[in-house]
Amino acid sequence: MKKWIKIVTVISASLLVASSVLTVPTSAATKKNAVLTRIEKKHVMLWGTKADTRLMGLMDIKTGKIQGFDVDMAKALTKIIDPNAKAEFTQVTSGTRIPLLKNGNIDAIIATMSITPERAKVVDFTKPYFLAGQSLLVQKGSKITNIQDVNHKGVTVVGVAGSTSVQTIAKLAPKAEVLALPDYATALSALKAGQGDVLTTDSGVIAGMADEDKSLMMVGGTFTNESYGIAFAKGNPELVKKTNAAIDELHKNGTYAKLIKKWFSKVPGMDWKEMAK
């Protein structure tokens, strides 16, 4: 009798495991491409973008709306992904953007987000939509024109503590002194006050600084590849595919070049024509 009870128990357990295994794909299939399904059903695409980065995404205090290259790109992409959809925006920061995406508060991130292997473990990126890279910002009249000019004793580079930019400078210009400060606002003030000879961060951020203060200019182009990508929650391959196709379409129909010209053609030292290719 005990033998039969044991056999029945084993069979029951086996059926339970089999049932569990069979239900997993069904559940996963329901969630797969859920974001695209919701967009096409509600005709609204929710974008997370920064509101403190000049030229890319900056809050207009008069209108209460975020304006910039990222915003215009998101609107143009939305119309291709779903011609009937409207783009709506939520303000994000570097710290809040991924949690908001994973929690479903936004459908996509377009917020000066560099594509990195570490981030690709938690989100799915599109192809690059903005070819950024580490760059240099100096006061007009500076003798520094490129990264090679930085690698000399007596040169002080201003950056943000803990950033990849500071780490890269230490490798590429080991002879220079690095002044690592808490944030971009403090770093920019230090450059203007003469506490540093050059400021370094990615080109998208530097472009905004140079545009705001005409006494400053970008020099030397970019010397790293930190291209920005659009991020989606894992499990939305069709939305990634459609967005990649939409990025290609904006390049082909001339919209991308028009937006680059609109936002970056007046930035001192920035080769916007090269960016627009």
Side-chain angles (χ1 to χ4, degrees):
M1 185 65 178
K2 291 181 179 180
K3 183 177 181 181
W4 278 104
I5 292 173
K6 186 175 182 180
I7 292 172
V8 171
T9 303
V10 171
I11 292 172
S12 299
S14 299
L15 288 172
L16 181 60
V17 171
S19 175
S20 300
V21 172
L22 287 172
T23 57
V24 171
T26 304
S27 175
T30 302
K31 294 181 179 179
K32 190 175 182 179
N33 295 312
V35 176
L36 179 58
T37 300
R38 184 169 68 247
I39 292 169
E40 293 177 337
K41 181 179 180 180
K42 296 186 176 182
H43 301 304
V44 173
M45 190 164 182
L46 306 174
W47 295 85
T49 189
K50 288 188 175 179
D52 62 352
T53 307
R54 191 176 179 85
L55 301 183
M56 300 301 291
L58 186 68
M59 181 66 72
D60 186 326
I61 58 174
K62 293 182 180 179
T63 64
K65 295 181 179 180
I66 305 173
Q67 298 181 342
F69 177 77
D70 278 351
V71 174
D72 285 354
M73 275 293 290
K75 290 178 179 178
L77 290 169
T78 300
K79 285 303 177 185
I80 297 176
I81 294 167
D82 179 0
N84 297 314
K86 175 185 178 183
E88 294 186 355
F89 299 91
T90 295
Q91 181 177 344
V92 300
T93 65
S94 296
T96 65
R97 56 193 176 189
I98 291 180
L100 287 172
L101 182 70
K102 295 180 74 174
N103 289 338
N105 300 101
I106 54 177
D107 298 325
I109 299 171
I110 185 166
T112 65
M113 191 171 181
S114 300
I115 301 171
T116 67
E118 292 76 18
R119 289 171 178 164
K121 294 176 183 177
V122 292
V123 300
D124 283 337
F125 281 109
T126 61
K127 62 175 57 181
Y129 74 92
F130 187 86
L131 301 180
Q134 191 167 339
S135 190
L136 304 171
L137 182 72
V138 299
Q139 297 197 48
K140 286 185 176 178
S142 171
K143 294 181 179 180
I144 295 174
T145 60
N146 52 46
I147 184 63
Q148 288 75 27
D149 293 339
V150 177
N151 192 27
H152 293 284
K153 290 184 178 180
V155 174
T156 300
V157 184
V158 180
V160 174
S163 68
T164 55
S165 298
V166 167
Q167 296 169 13
T168 301
I169 279 292
K171 294 177 182 178
L172 298 182
K175 295 180 181 179
E177 179 182 349
V178 177
L179 177 60
L181 298 171
D183 51 51
Y184 291 122
T186 307
L188 184 59
S189 295
L191 176 66
K192 291 180 179 180
Q195 296 173 9
D197 302 294
V198 56
L199 183 151
T200 188
T201 185
D202 69 82
S203 56
V205 176
I206 281 185
M209 294 177 176
D211 181 70
E212 186 175 13
D213 190 333
K214 302 303 181 184
S215 70
L216 305 173
M217 67 181 296
M218 294 178 67
V219 294
T222 57
F223 50 91
T224 64
N225 183 3
E226 298 177 25
S227 298
Y228 300 156
I230 296 165
F232 295 104
K234 291 284 187 179
N236 291 279
E238 285 302 314
L239 185 52
V240 173
K241 183 178 178 181
K242 291 193 74 169
T243 306
N244 280 335
I247 292 172
D248 289 340
E249 179 60 27
L250 293 182
H251 278 276
K252 291 177 183 178
N253 66 23
T255 300
Y256 187 83
K258 289 178 181 178
L259 294 181
I260 289 290
K261 182 179 180 180
K262 173 184 176 181
W263 290 105
F264 301 103
S265 62
K266 296 181 180 179
V267 178
M270 195 165 200
D271 189 352
W272 68 268
K273 292 183 180 179
E274 182 66 26
M275 292 169 58
K277 291 181 180 179

